[in-house]
Amino acid sequence: MTARTVLVETADPRRAAVAAATLASLPLSYTDGGSSTDAGRDAEVVVVAGSEGWVDRVRAAGTAGARGVIVTDPLPATDAGALVAHRPACTVVLAETWASSPALRSAGEQFAAPIARTRLVDARTLEPRTGRELRAVLFAELRAVQSLGVEVASLAIVAETASSILGVGRSTTGARIVLSAAHSDTADGSLDLLLVAPDETIRIELPDSTTARPGRAVLTSAGAAVEVPTIWQTAHRAAWLTLSDALVSGADPGHLEAFAAATAVLAGAGAS
């Protein structure tokens, strides 16, 4: 298979650095086509920063001729739904902090039945003080829960301060959803997920997406403990491979639809 040419947008230095590191780890799938603050016209794949205005940059990349677009760590965007209603002429994949984790995907597949029986989902993280805004962290938690196969029907922000945030809601099956995040000087940006069903629990630990340290998922019941096999791959690398597969198969991964649904849930959660 010929490696696809990649153009990395440099508007956001942190996200550009993450994209460059991911590109270097996939030499057989992608080749560096340079970097630019613009969408580019010759690259097959354009990597845009998920900072403010990323929806417009995705459209610009598709208009410029990109076959695929990767959005690095996209922020919640109220206009994401417009991409679903009026799709750009390219395949769009979202490379997200936790939602793109291969450990999360494996847990969702291997533990699908217990997840469907879940009555409580508790997601919590400590974010470095120099890291993301807490609303963005809460949204990333929501996306992780959603990617696990739990459809969140409602969410309300019940407490919010300068250093912490708490959201409580329900899934479409009636499970209670609790999302919490706080800033800390000792935080490593990892996510801790606990799912409680009548006869089993699932514990999932996901590192920050910039590290290859593997995530861990364990189902515990009265009779045994089952752990998902270790996958040594970053969340971003997994997302890039998703795009590679989608360009070959022609099947859309459905990231935009799920992201737009999560954005709508957050929009209804209430103002700070």
Side-chain angles (χ1 to χ4, degrees):
M1 182 181 70
T2 302
R4 302 183 187 280
T5 305
V6 175
L7 182 72
V8 177
E9 178 190 70
T10 59
D12 184 304
R14 183 190 68 80
R15 288 176 169 87
V18 170
T22 307
L23 174 60
S25 74
L26 292 166
L28 299 182
S29 299
Y30 299 100
T31 184
D32 189 359
S35 60
S36 173
T37 55
D38 300 317
R41 289 177 171 78
D42 301 322
E44 290 183 83
V45 174
V46 174
V47 184
V48 306
S51 47
E52 294 292 342
W54 66 264
V55 170
D56 290 337
R57 293 195 291 277
V58 167
R59 288 202 181 281
T63 301
R67 290 191 58 205
V69 175
I70 298 170
V71 186
T72 304
D73 290 332
L75 291 174
T78 55
D79 52 351
L83 284 178
V84 177
H86 305 284
R87 303 192 69 87
C90 57
T91 300
V92 180
V93 164
L94 307 180
E96 300 178 78
T97 301
W98 299 309
S100 299
S101 168
L104 193 69
R105 182 180 65 247
S106 294
E109 294 172 351
Q110 187 167 335
F111 302 149
I115 289 172
R117 296 191 291 269
T118 292
R119 290 293 171 262
L120 169 66
V121 180
D122 183 7
R124 58 184 66 186
T125 189
L126 291 176
E127 181 77 3
R129 291 192 186 278
T130 57
R132 297 165 294 176
E133 293 182 357
L134 290 180
R135 283 246 171 178
V137 177
L138 196 81
F139 182 76
E141 291 179 341
L142 173 61
R143 287 286 294 130
V145 170
Q146 185 186 50
S147 296
L148 194 57
V150 178
E151 187 176 348
V152 181
S154 63
L155 183 70
I157 305 299
V158 296
E160 186 172 12
T161 69
S163 61
S164 64
I165 189 170
L166 173 66
V168 177
R170 292 284 179 183
S171 74
T172 54
T173 60
R176 186 171 179 81
I177 309 293
V178 181
L179 310 177
S180 61
H183 279 138
S184 170
D185 292 327
T186 61
D188 62 0
S190 60
L191 173 65
D192 188 354
L193 272 167
L194 176 66
L195 289 82
V196 181
D199 298 309
E200 57 261 304
T201 62
I202 300 171
R203 179 76 178 273
I204 302 173
E205 300 170 8
L206 301 177
D208 177 82
S209 58
T210 59
T211 176
R213 179 165 60 89
R216 188 166 183 256
V218 181
L219 181 146
T220 304
S221 64
V226 179
E227 184 168 355
V228 168
T230 300
I231 303 175
W232 292 90
Q233 182 169 230
T234 68
H236 288 289
R237 191 176 191 275
W240 284 50
L241 290 174
T242 295
L243 176 63
S244 181
D245 292 342
L247 291 177
V248 171
S249 67
D252 189 281
H255 289 187
L256 289 176
E257 288 85 353
F259 191 94
T263 301
V265 169
L266 183 66
S272 58

